Amino acid sequence: MDHLAAFSTALHADSDRPEHLALLIGKLIDPALDVDSYVRRLNELADQVEQRLPVGALGRAKAEALIATLHGEYAFFGNDENYYEASNSFLHRVLDTRLGLPITLCLLYTAVGRRLGIRLRGLGLPGHFMLEFRDVNGVWILDPFHGKVLAPEELSHYLSQMFHQSIRISVSLEQYFTDTSSWILRILNNLRTVYISQHRLDDALSVLNYMVTVDPEAANLWRDRGLLHYGLQNMLAAENDLRRYFLHRNRLHLFTGESELAFSGVALGGWLPEAEQKPSQEDQRVLFVLKQIREGIRRLN
């Protein structure tokens, strides 16, 4: 079965169910993973949590009851001891071990909350992923990793204490809200970082296949996948991905080596369209690798 194709199909159908997409990512390490069985486990968990929440609770009391149940009673904790384990990024493993990263624990809470009619929104805050809970009594912030509930005005101090440096959070939380695609990309990026740090380039490449499926317009993802292909000596695939990188940056002329500019716009007032600007340092670095790739292809032929 083509797991990536199944993920791609679900990506367009499950925009309101990021947990389903996260479970499909689990096939990267468990190809025979029964996703439906884990969906049922989420349903059962939500039923159990509902029975334990106090009837009629609102505001901070409701947020604290949710934390007390999932963090306190069911022991879904942040994996402090082995923070960089790949398993922390897979939702099905989080359900099995009850240990995870801030982002995967937040995803679990969101999935349970939605089944109970509790709307939780992901917050991609500086250095830490948390949740917003809003009802008629106000707005509260949940930190499933540490089992805490905060008022929004407490956030800056809370994060500053956590990271031992001054962090200021905007009063408006909207800029930190994370949609489904961004949520999945963050999970995948965490996983990619772990695999690269462990020199598991084949696994990192598999993750990037998912990432470009989520955001095929992101030039940096094509660049990164091309560089990984190069590291794995997949020269033709590397060249093709770097072509996509320059194409998405409107700098295909750098890839082709053509002297004519591939941009038909008109420079106004001294402003130059991106395609006509001098190659950036990053472009120069990629072009150097591209040269190595083409030399490798010539040797193979």
Side-chain angles (χ1 to χ4, degrees):
M1 178 184 295
D2 188 340
H3 300 311
L4 186 57
F7 174 82
S8 179
T9 299
L11 189 63
H12 303 289
D14 292 329
S15 61
D16 62 339
R17 292 196 303 158
E19 73 275 9
H20 187 240
L21 295 170
L23 289 172
L24 288 172
I25 291 170
K27 289 182 178 288
L28 280 167
I29 54 170
D30 294 316
L33 179 68
D34 184 350
V35 170
D36 290 340
S37 72
Y38 281 91
V39 171
R40 288 193 293 273
R41 284 178 61 175
L42 283 170
N43 294 339
E44 292 165 4
L45 179 61
D47 290 341
Q48 293 163 8
V49 170
E50 185 175 31
Q51 295 171 18
R52 287 158 174 78
L53 292 181
V55 177
L58 292 171
R60 186 164 194 150
K62 190 166 189 175
E64 289 179 338
L66 187 61
I67 286 282
T69 303
L70 285 171
H71 185 86
E73 187 172 346
Y74 283 89
F76 282 101
F77 295 150
N79 194 349
D80 274 316
E81 292 187 5
N82 296 293
Y83 191 89
Y84 295 104
E85 276 191 0
S87 61
N88 294 326
S89 291
F90 292 105
L91 182 58
H92 72 289
R93 293 286 180 88
V94 174
L95 281 163
D96 289 339
T97 66
R98 304 197 179 190
L99 293 170
L101 295 175
I103 193 168
T104 44
L105 290 171
C106 284
L107 186 58
L108 172 73
Y109 273 63
T110 302
V112 169
R114 191 176 63 257
R115 286 162 169 78
L116 301 180
I118 302 172
R119 190 186 184 199
L120 300 169
R121 299 186 69 175
L123 293 172
L125 298 164
H128 198 56
F129 205 93
M130 299 173 74
L131 293 168
E132 182 211 65
F133 166 60
R134 182 187 300 262
D135 70 2
V136 293
N137 276 21
V139 178
W140 308 98
I141 310 301
L142 283 71
D143 181 0
F145 191 85
H146 295 109
K148 303 290 184 182
V149 175
L150 311 165
E153 58 269 21
E154 299 174 293
L155 262 178
S156 294
H157 177 72
Y158 182 74
L159 292 174
S160 296
Q161 292 291 105
M162 184 184 301
F163 294 110
H164 307 290
Q165 64 183 42
S166 179
I167 296 176
R168 295 189 62 82
I169 301 300
S170 171
V171 175
S172 172
L173 295 175
E174 289 187 8
Q175 63 182 291
Y176 305 111
F177 288 152
T178 305
D179 61 18
T180 293
S181 293
S182 298
W183 203 321
I184 295 301
L185 279 175
R186 283 171 176 262
I187 291 173
L188 289 167
N189 191 55
N190 287 338
L191 191 56
R192 170 179 61 161
T193 300
V194 170
Y195 284 150
I196 289 177
S197 70
Q198 297 173 348
H199 305 290
R200 296 167 59 179
L201 299 189
D202 282 310
D203 291 327
L205 179 60
S206 296
V207 172
L208 265 163
N209 290 339
Y210 280 75
M211 294 182 78
V212 298
T213 298
V214 176
D215 191 0
E217 301 301 316
N220 65 303
L221 295 180
W222 293 105
R223 176 201 62 203
D224 293 350
R225 197 174 79 164
L227 295 177
L228 268 179
H229 273 304
Y230 171 63
L232 291 165
Q233 298 297 297
N234 304 328
M235 298 302 187
L236 291 174
E239 184 183 41
N240 185 60
D241 279 356
L242 295 186
R243 179 185 181 280
R244 295 288 292 268
Y245 165 70
F246 285 111
L247 177 64
H248 283 295
R249 295 203 61 226
N250 196 29
R251 292 185 163 199
L252 192 57
H253 64 286
L254 295 177
F255 175 86
T256 61
E258 295 175 358
S259 59
E260 296 82 14
L261 297 175
F263 189 86
S264 59
V266 177
L268 297 174
W271 176 82
L272 292 176
E274 185 177 4
E276 298 181 9
Q277 295 171 8
K278 181 180 178 180
S280 66
Q281 284 190 333
E282 178 59 23
D283 286 338
Q284 292 176 37
R285 184 176 75 92
V286 175
L287 287 169
F288 176 80
V289 174
L290 182 59
K291 181 180 178 182
Q292 311 307 309
I293 290 169
R294 285 170 171 165
E295 289 177 355
I297 292 172
R298 281 196 292 271
R299 285 195 298 270
L300 289 174
N301 293 334

